[in-house]
Amino acid sequence: GLYDFIAGTLVVKPELFTRDSTTYKAWDVFKNYANVMFVIAFLVIIYSQVTSAGISNYGIKRMLPKIIIAAILVNISFFICQLAVDLSNIAGYGIKAIFDQLGGSITITTKADSGGWAELIGQILAGALGIGAVLALLLAVSVPVLLAAFFALALIAFILLARQALIVLLIVIAPLAFVAYLLPNTESLFKKWSKLFFSLLMLFPVISAVFGASALAAAILSTSSEPFMKIVALGATALPLFVVPGMLKGALAATGKMGAKMQGWGDKATSGVGNAIKNRSQLGTTWQEARKHKQQQHA
């Protein structure tokens, strides 16, 4: 269920990139600005060639092929980005499907030999702690903790939506990025644009691989008759919950200051869950009192 939700936010909707879309119209405006810059660049080259002032002959020979290539790329940059988005979507769903096929007849079932996952874990906890202790443990994680966890999930959803907006924005300004490729002083801007664009697109296939590999590992482990191995299998299915937030932070790191700000929000959300457990839950309060009592005894 979590994978379906994340995949739904990671897939870039194809209808955003049709010839009638607002994205294409905005890209067309930036394309016209980029073409004006090419006209100015050609005029400078012609002036330098006629007057022998400005750019040297060697500089012209170096720039001319680059200008021609960049001029072609600027005018087809929308379709290049469109192809990259399609490949990201195909790879995202395709990788997960490959892992599902590798599992074959091995499926993660909610029916273990001794019952469902909940029943199996319940039996282990009840045997070790007793029913009363199990209920007390569940009630110890109080409402503030749940609220902090909800805030963290909401923040992840916001980051995924921000990724969608960033991809659209990067496609719109693609013509200017290819113009920046021309000059040595501005080539770094093109490299930043391409790194950010492809890191955001690669997020979907990589996250799909994490979910697919975790599901396959859990499917294999769940075939064991040992209760402990079934618990390990359940833990394997939860692995993406710990991996995905870090991957989101890594992708946002390429966005510079804005990404660093959003990464800071993510850290606050994560620490908020921990602080809520430590300071505002019954479990945390009891733990702190026990530590204080132990320190007093030691003194």
Side-chain angles (χ1 to χ4, degrees):
L2 180 62
Y3 172 76
D4 290 339
F5 167 74
I6 291 180
T9 53
L10 284 173
V11 64
V12 184
K13 307 302 180 186
E15 56 265 24
L16 292 173
F17 306 104
T18 61
R19 293 291 292 265
D20 299 325
S21 64
T22 308
T23 307
Y24 180 83
K25 293 174 183 176
W27 169 85
D28 194 51
V29 172
F30 281 94
K31 182 198 71 174
N32 293 334
Y33 287 137
N35 285 328
V36 169
M37 294 179 184
F38 280 121
V39 171
I40 294 171
F42 276 116
L43 289 174
V44 170
I45 288 175
I46 292 169
Y47 175 79
S48 300
Q49 188 68 28
V50 172
T51 62
S52 298
I55 304 173
S56 64
N57 287 334
Y58 175 74
I60 292 172
K61 289 177 181 178
R62 281 192 63 187
M63 279 189 65
L64 201 55
K66 216 172 183 181
I67 288 177
I68 294 171
I69 293 170
I72 295 170
L73 292 176
V74 160
N75 287 277
I76 63 171
S77 58
F78 184 83
F79 307 103
I80 293 173
C81 295
Q82 192 179 44
L83 178 62
V85 167
D86 285 341
L87 290 174
S88 172
N89 291 339
I90 293 168
Y93 284 116
I95 289 172
K96 181 67 164 55
I98 289 171
F99 277 106
D100 290 343
Q101 286 182 347
L102 286 174
S105 58
I106 305 172
T107 55
I108 304 171
T109 176
T110 56
K111 296 292 182 184
D113 291 339
S114 57
W117 287 119
E119 185 181 345
L120 178 64
I121 296 171
Q123 288 173 357
I124 293 171
L125 287 173
L129 303 174
I131 295 296
V134 171
L135 292 174
L137 183 64
L138 293 175
L139 291 173
V141 182
S142 56
V143 173
V145 179
L146 297 177
L147 289 175
F150 174 77
F151 175 73
L153 290 172
L155 187 67
I156 288 176
F158 172 75
I159 291 173
L160 291 173
L161 292 174
R163 169 187 170 272
Q164 293 262 0
L166 277 172
I167 289 173
V168 172
L169 180 62
L170 290 170
I171 291 174
V172 168
I173 64 170
L176 298 182
F178 281 104
V179 170
Y181 170 73
L182 281 176
L183 302 174
N185 294 335
T186 58
E187 191 175 358
S188 61
L189 297 175
F190 170 77
K191 290 179 179 179
K192 287 181 180 178
W193 173 88
S194 60
K195 179 183 177 182
L196 177 57
F197 182 64
F198 288 107
S199 64
L200 290 175
L201 288 181
M202 283 300 296
L203 204 57
F204 187 15
V206 172
I207 287 178
S208 293
V210 171
F211 271 94
S214 299
L216 179 62
I220 295 170
L221 291 170
S222 66
T223 58
S224 174
S225 59
E226 296 181 15
F228 176 74
M229 293 304 294
K230 294 183 183 295
I231 298 298
V232 174
L234 184 61
T237 64
L239 184 63
L241 296 174
F242 301 96
V243 176
V244 169
M247 295 171 66
L248 289 173
K249 288 181 182 181
L252 287 171
T255 62
K257 291 183 179 179
M258 182 174 65
K261 186 71 175 176
M262 294 172 70
Q263 188 172 342
W265 295 344
D267 291 337
K268 286 181 181 179
T270 306
S271 63
V273 177
N275 289 333
I277 294 173
K278 183 179 178 182
N279 301 320
R280 287 185 284 170
S281 71
Q282 187 63 41
L283 183 64
T285 305
T286 304
W287 175 260
Q288 288 184 12
E289 289 177 355
R291 279 191 67 186
K292 186 177 179 181
H293 180 67
K294 186 177 180 180
Q295 288 173 355
Q296 289 175 344
Q297 284 184 323
H298 182 71

